Amino acid sequence: MTQRSAPQRRHALTGSRIRERRTVMGIKQSDLARAVGISASYLNLIEHNRRRIGGKLLVDLARKLEVEPTALSEGADASLFDALQAAAGESPPAFGPAPETGRIDELAGRFPGWAGLIASQHKRIAGLEGLVDGLHDRLAHDPVLAEAMHELLSTVAAIRSTADILVREPDIEPQWRGRFHRNLHEEAERLSARATAMLSHFESQGGRQGAPSTPQETVEAFFDAMDHHFPMIEKAGAGTIGAILVGVAGMEDPATRTLAERLLRHYAEDAARLPLKPFLAAALDSGFEPEPLLPMAGGDVALVLRRLASLPRAKGAPPFGLAVCDAAGALIFRRRIGAFSIPRFGAGCPLWPLYRALSKPMVPEASVLDLPNGTTFRAWSICQPARAAGFGAEPVMRATMLLRPVEEERAGSGAQPVGPGCAVCPREGCTARRMDSLVG
């Protein structure tokens, strides 16, 4: 018996997801079949994965079941899938058997609320563990904290010594007793002031309750909420940035606001170089292929990739994902796309063309990527200077990768197997896996 490929395994679950969603919504099989214009027996075959489904019928079923078609054909959002897989791998079970990682799709399909809660709690636990580790390091190495602790202990020792004298010597002269009382009062005030100063030191260094949220995380959440498209900037330029950020959660933090303003200024520069109306018209004519659009950008490949990722879906643009990294490989910006998981923290898959581009500056590359979940993506990548460098100065290099999902039948052969990142990648025997490379 031949083993099915990842795409086959992934799409084989479409019928199960339809059945699970229909059951959750309380819709009878016959009623759903009648609503989409097929027989109940044919829908029964689909739900038991005996008939493949796609095209208009899949869209009609998704509309009646009030979900996106990709939720039925591809299953759980890749980021949610990876979060649940990481939670299963990093958290030893306290009750019962180990988590059934092979049924993550089923969990997310039947109980999306619980799946989201598990992923959210895993993220919170990871954040709190990082916070505890950071506090531990500070207790061991922070010189300001060490000095404050020394002062606190010295003050406590002085208070204890004075109190001990007052208790052990009941016949102290009133003059000396008053002096000891005054010393006790002064040392107590000093102790209170130093404890308050220590607490302020913790708070000023970013100590907060709950899982920490970095400026980059907050700004990316803001961009995601806006679908990475800012009509005010498209129409009136960078002068509208202040108005856009009014009332946005998290922007009261100076570092977060500075990062948001910088990214929005870059967005405004891109919009000025490639205005939305002519660029969108050209992109529609090219089928949203980057290469025919390069002359409009003077050959600036990264600019074209960024502008394609900012086009509004309401105007007919397909879903795009975007990842940008610096020369060290650190992800400094991303636009999420459902079936392709771009990690929030740490590096992605070493086999991504995003990283391969770093070794080939100014050489654009187009490739097809095959993910473990069975989905395929077209990827365009380039590494080029972030800005012009002066004479004798090394340019600051950044790599940019644009992603677009492709249908299985259009993917063709020769797709590059990649993953979401070594920590959660299910591919075994991968020579690029970082854990293997440490011992191999």
Side-chain angles (χ1 to χ4, degrees), residues 251-321:
M251 294 303 155
E252 62 277 1
D253 175 58
T256 301
R257 187 178 182 90
T258 298
L259 177 60
E261 290 175 343
R262 178 165 61 84
L263 291 175
L264 289 175
R265 282 196 299 271
H266 290 167
Y267 183 101
E269 293 170 2
D270 289 350
R273 293 177 62 188
L274 286 178
L276 177 61
K277 189 173 181 179
F279 182 74
L280 178 58
L284 284 165
D285 291 340
S286 71
F288 296 94
E289 292 287 326
E291 188 168 356
L293 304 173
L294 293 180
M296 295 185 68
D300 190 332
V301 180
L303 172 62
V304 171
L305 301 186
R306 292 194 302 268
R307 285 301 277 162
L308 283 171
S310 70
L311 291 179
R313 295 286 299 277
K315 299 293 185 180
F320 281 115

Side-chain angles (χ1 to χ4, degrees), residues 228 294 376:
H228 288 250
L294 293 180
T376 51

Side-chain angles (χ1 to χ4, degrees), residues 32-352:
L32 179 59
R34 187 182 311 108
V36 297
I38 60 175
S39 66
S41 58
Y42 186 64
L43 178 57
N44 185 64
L45 292 174
I46 292 174
E47 290 189 349
H48 286 83
N49 301 305
R50 296 177 182 174
R51 292 290 186 274
R52 295 200 62 177
I53 177 177
K56 183 178 181 300
L57 180 55
L58 178 63
V59 173
D60 291 343
L61 284 168
R63 185 182 299 112
K64 295 298 181 182
L65 295 174
E66 300 177 3
V67 294
E68 291 292 327
T70 53
L72 299 177
S73 61
E74 298 172 3
D77 179 286
S79 296
L80 175 61
F81 187 97
D82 292 339
L84 293 173
Q85 185 164 296
E90 298 173 11
S91 304
F95 307 99
E100 297 85 351
T101 54
R103 304 181 68 181
I104 291 177
D105 260 327
E106 182 180 348
L107 170 66
R110 295 188 63 182
F111 308 105
W114 282 107
L117 176 63
I118 293 170
S120 176
Q121 289 184 336
H122 173 67
K123 177 180 179 295
R124 178 176 173 80
I125 290 170
L128 290 174
E129 288 176 344
L131 188 61
V132 170
D133 290 341
L135 291 173
H136 179 271
D137 289 341
R138 291 182 61 194
L139 286 171
H141 305 295
D142 189 331
V144 176
L145 185 59
E147 182 180 355
M149 286 295 296
H150 175 72
E151 291 180 354
L152 284 175
L153 292 175
S154 299
T155 304
V156 169
I159 291 174
R160 179 178 180 180
S161 177
T162 303
D164 185 64
I165 293 173
L166 291 172
V167 170
R168 291 178 180 274
E169 303 293 338
D171 299 329
I172 299 177
E173 296 180 4
Q175 177 182 351
W176 284 102
R177 182 177 296 276
R179 181 176 296 180
F180 282 128
H181 281 160
R182 184 172 60 252
N183 290 344
L184 193 63
H185 175 70
E186 290 174 353
E187 291 295 341
E189 285 190 334
R190 190 175 295 113
L191 176 63
S192 176
R194 286 169 178 169
T196 302
M198 182 185 293
L199 180 61
S200 299
H201 175 64
F202 272 101
E203 292 176 344
S204 67
Q205 294 297 318
R208 64 183 72 177
Q209 294 188 3
S213 179
T214 65
Q216 181 178 350
E217 186 175 12
T218 302
V219 172
E220 286 186 353
F222 165 59
F223 270 71
D224 286 341
M226 298 298 296
D227 201 26
H228 288 250
H229 182 71
F230 300 89
M232 291 176 64
I233 294 180
E234 299 285 354
K235 294 179 180 179
T240 62
I241 291 176
I244 291 173
L245 295 178
V246 171
V248 175
M251 294 303 155
E252 62 277 1
D253 175 58
T256 301
R257 187 178 182 90
T258 298
L259 177 60
E261 290 175 343
R262 178 165 61 84
L263 291 175
L264 289 175
R265 282 196 299 271
H266 290 167
Y267 183 101
E269 293 170 2
D270 289 350
R273 293 177 62 188
L274 286 178
L276 177 61
K277 189 173 181 179
F279 182 74
L280 178 58
L284 284 165
D285 291 340
S286 71
F288 296 94
E289 292 287 326
E291 188 168 356
L293 304 173
L294 293 180
M296 295 185 68
D300 190 332
V301 180
L303 172 62
V304 171
L305 301 186
R306 292 194 302 268
R307 285 301 277 162
L308 283 171
S310 70
L311 291 179
R313 295 286 299 277
K315 299 293 185 180
F320 281 115
L322 186 73
V324 180
C325 75
D326 60 18
L331 290 166
I332 58 176
F333 188 76
R334 64 177 193 160
R335 177 177 185 174
R336 292 185 62 252
I337 186 169
F340 196 106
S341 178
I342 304 175
R344 187 177 299 278
F345 304 108
C349 174
L351 299 176
W352 285 357

Side-chain angles (χ1 to χ4, degrees), residues 4-14 17 52 58 69-79 81-82 105 319 337-342 352 367-379 403-412 414-420 425-427:
R4 291 184 295 178
S5 66
Q8 289 173 325
R9 291 194 302 270
R10 189 71 169 176
H11 289 286
L13 295 172
T14 300
R17 298 186 194 107
R52 295 200 62 177
L58 178 63
T70 53
L72 299 177
S73 61
E74 298 172 3
D77 179 286
S79 296
F81 187 97
D82 292 339
D105 260 327
I337 186 169
F340 196 106
S341 178
I342 304 175
W352 285 357
S367 53
V368 178
L369 309 181
D370 175 29
L371 270 68
N373 62 15
T375 57
T376 51
F377 283 81
R378 293 189 65 187
L403 299 163
R404 179 180 178 181
V406 294
E407 297 178 7
E408 179 186 348
E409 55 270 19
R410 296 183 181 179
Q416 168 71 45
V418 299
C425 183
R427 295 191 188 276

